[in-house]
Amino acid sequence: MTDPQARAIPNRLFFRLFQTGNVLQRQVQKEMGVSTVQWAVLGALSRPGYENGISFNELTEYLIVSRQNLDGVLKRLERDDHVVRIAHPQDGRARLVLMTAQGRAFWESLQPKIDEFYRQALASFGFDDQVSLLHYLNKLNADLAQVEIDPAKATTEPTVD
């Protein structure tokens, strides 16, 4: 893809994804008072079947975050008594992350705001639009996970939007 016009759409697409992520982070913090990662952690822990916790490693894989990033977020959530880390019952060296009763109450208190956030953020999207966007984001996520640049095939031409 050496033609600048052929590069324009992918470049703009990834730049818009970057911008969208930043707007999401800013708006969630402003409107909810939590970070997007805190929101994701609490959401992951609130899923049915995780009432007894999830291993730290499973949580990093589910959220696709680094161990360091998750550790910092968990420390803040622990400070606020929303989560605790406990010894894994089958492996004392491993830790489970568990939502506390206070964390569950906090999560439940956020639900009306979350519903309104989604309603406003998706106001211009019909149901079919939402399903399509989810489908394409899932495809992009799967393709991104498979990216492996072969230095021999990589170009050195810069791309600028």
Side-chain angles (χ1 to χ4, degrees):
M1 197 169 15
T2 58
D3 177 17
Q5 290 181 339
R7 286 185 175 155
I9 297 299
N11 191 42
R12 286 185 177 186
L13 173 64
F14 280 90
F15 183 67
R16 292 293 179 254
L17 287 170
F18 169 77
Q19 286 180 316
T20 301
N22 288 336
V23 170
L24 176 63
Q25 288 178 358
R26 184 179 325 132
Q27 289 300 103
V28 167
Q29 186 68 51
K30 178 180 145 195
E31 299 299 328
M32 310 277 200
V34 297
S35 72
T36 53
V37 181
Q38 288 171 321
W39 182 357
V41 168
L42 293 172
L45 295 174
S46 72
R47 296 175 297 154
Y50 293 91
E51 297 81 6
N52 296 320
I54 184 172
S55 78
F56 183 85
N57 288 337
E58 286 177 294
L59 192 54
T60 61
E61 290 173 17
Y62 178 72
L63 298 174
I64 312 173
V65 296
S66 70
R67 294 177 61 82
Q68 295 81 5
N69 189 2
L70 182 59
D71 185 58
V73 170
L74 289 177
K75 284 178 181 171
R76 289 187 292 282
L77 290 170
E78 286 172 318
R79 180 195 65 218
D80 295 337
D81 195 30
H82 295 318
V83 304
V84 292
R85 287 186 251 195
I86 60 172
H88 193 292
Q90 284 86 32
D91 181 358
R93 297 167 299 163
R95 308 293 279 171
L96 290 178
V97 181
L98 179 68
M99 187 184 292
T100 64
Q102 182 172 321
R104 194 160 301 284
F106 177 70
W107 178 247
E108 288 303 318
S109 77
L110 285 177
Q111 294 312 299
K113 283 183 175 181
I114 290 171
D115 290 343
E116 181 60 13
F117 187 92
Y118 290 157
R119 188 190 69 73
Q120 289 184 34
L122 296 168
S124 65
F125 289 78
F127 177 79
D128 290 343
D129 296 330
Q130 292 177 42
V131 171
S132 294
L133 180 58
L134 181 60
H135 168 74
Y136 288 119
L137 289 173
N138 284 338
K139 285 180 69 165
L140 179 59
N141 200 25
D143 289 348
L144 280 171
Q146 300 302 314
V147 169
E148 194 171 301
I149 305 294
D150 178 355
K153 293 181 182 178
T155 64
T156 58
E157 299 175 32
T159 60
V160 177
D161 187 27

